């Protein structure tokens, strides 16, 4: 059985029209029994969640032993975020306003709206957090997408990005596959 969960009622209406099994709920408190899922995907979610510990506890609780989760998130330490910070710009993956994109080099503040990121993660931070929540890291890969820059800068950026995005700690996005470890009984 595949089931989705979303906080947005509108997103759920769209999913239902497409024949998807989706329910209203919060990712921080999953409305499911213990040990029911073989896989859980959290794609571009964790950076939007205030209580990441409860979120990971809920994933752990609802996964079967040896069940896997796949988590994707923007990398606060992406190579271009490091340069932006060095130049005094706000990293684009860690927003300071829910209304305006301010202080970043990657977006046009007039047209673009914040995505609602309330957490910023480096690769090291998310891996440490997953291990603290009793997950075994099985695989780490990376992904990237182009930033909205002028044509000239986009050409240079895309050339550099195609090389550096192959290194997860420098890439724009991180993809992690982790496995629930057997619970220790004392």
């Amino acid at each position: 059985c595949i089931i989705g969960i979303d906080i947005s009622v509108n997103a759920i209406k769209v999913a239902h029209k497409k024949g998807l099994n989706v329910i209203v709920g919060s990712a921080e408190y999953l409305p499911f029994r213990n040990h029911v899922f073989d896989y859980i995907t959290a794609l571009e979610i964790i950076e939007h969640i205030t209580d990441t510990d409860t979120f990971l506890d809920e994933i752990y609780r609802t996964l079967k032993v040896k069940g896997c989760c796949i988590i994707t998130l923007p990398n606060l330490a992406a190579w271009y975020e490091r340069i932006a910070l060095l130049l005094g710009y706000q990293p684009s993956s860690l927003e300071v306003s829910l209304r305006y994109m301010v202080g970043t080099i990657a977006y046009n503040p007039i047209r673009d709206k914040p995505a609602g990121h309330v957490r910023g993660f480096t690769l090291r931070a998310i891996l440490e957090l997953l291990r603290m929540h009793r997950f075994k890291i099985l695989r780490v890969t990376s992904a990237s997408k182009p930033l909205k820059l002028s044509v000239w800068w986009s050409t240079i950026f895309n050339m550099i990005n195609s090389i550096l995005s192959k290194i997860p700690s420098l890439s724009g996005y991180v993809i992690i596959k982790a496995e629930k470890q057997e619970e220790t009984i004392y």
Side-chain angles (χ1 to χ4, degrees):
C1 175
I2 297 174
I3 188 165
I5 187 168
D6 201 297
I7 198 167
S8 168
V9 174
N10 289 335
I12 289 177
K13 287 178 183 176
V14 170
H16 284 165
K17 287 180 183 176
K18 294 182 178 188
L20 300 172
N21 186 11
V22 183
I23 62 169
V24 176
S26 165
E28 291 171 309
Y29 299 99
L30 301 176
F32 306 106
R33 296 183 331 266
N34 296 348
H35 318 291
V36 293
F37 296 113
D38 294 309
Y39 278 91
I40 293 178
T41 58
L43 310 178
E44 306 295 313
I45 293 173
I46 197 167
E47 67 274 12
H48 298 271
I49 293 177
T50 304
D51 187 351
T52 55
D53 293 307
T54 297
F55 174 64
L56 292 174
D57 287 344
E58 286 291 281
I59 290 175
Y60 188 90
R61 178 185 67 78
T62 57
L63 275 175
K64 294 176 182 176
V65 174
K66 299 288 186 180
C68 291
C69 67
I70 296 177
I71 296 176
T72 66
L73 62 152
N75 181 9
L76 182 62
W79 69 271
Y80 52 84
E81 299 286 31
R82 295 176 191 214
I83 293 170
L85 194 58
L86 184 66
L87 295 174
Y89 289 96
Q90 177 72 23
S92 60
S93 63
L94 189 57
E95 301 156 347
V96 297
S97 171
L98 294 175
R99 294 184 190 169
Y100 310 105
M101 283 304 294
V102 294
T104 69
I105 197 170
Y107 294 93
N108 178 336
I110 304 295
R111 290 185 302 212
D112 291 339
K113 300 291 183 203
H117 296 170
V118 295
R119 295 274 184 235
F121 293 89
T122 63
L123 177 58
R124 179 176 303 191
I126 188 64
L127 294 177
E128 286 179 16
L129 188 60
L130 284 166
R131 287 183 186 112
M132 293 176 116
H133 284 272
R134 303 179 310 256
F135 286 98
K136 176 183 177 185
I137 307 304
L138 298 179
R139 185 164 184 207
V140 176
T141 56
S142 56
S144 64
K145 66 180 179 181
L147 294 177
K148 299 174 184 175
L149 301 169
S150 69
V151 174
W152 187 82
W153 281 107
S154 290
T155 303
I156 293 170
F157 172 84
N158 288 331
M159 287 179 4
I160 296 169
N161 201 36
S162 68
I163 296 166
L164 294 181
S165 67
K166 291 174 177 40
I167 304 167
S169 63
L170 295 176
S171 69
Y173 293 86
V174 177
I175 305 163
I176 301 163
K177 181 178 182 181
E179 179 182 77
K180 176 181 177 174
Q181 297 300 287
E182 292 186 45
E183 298 182 47
T184 306
I185 300 173
Y186 296 98

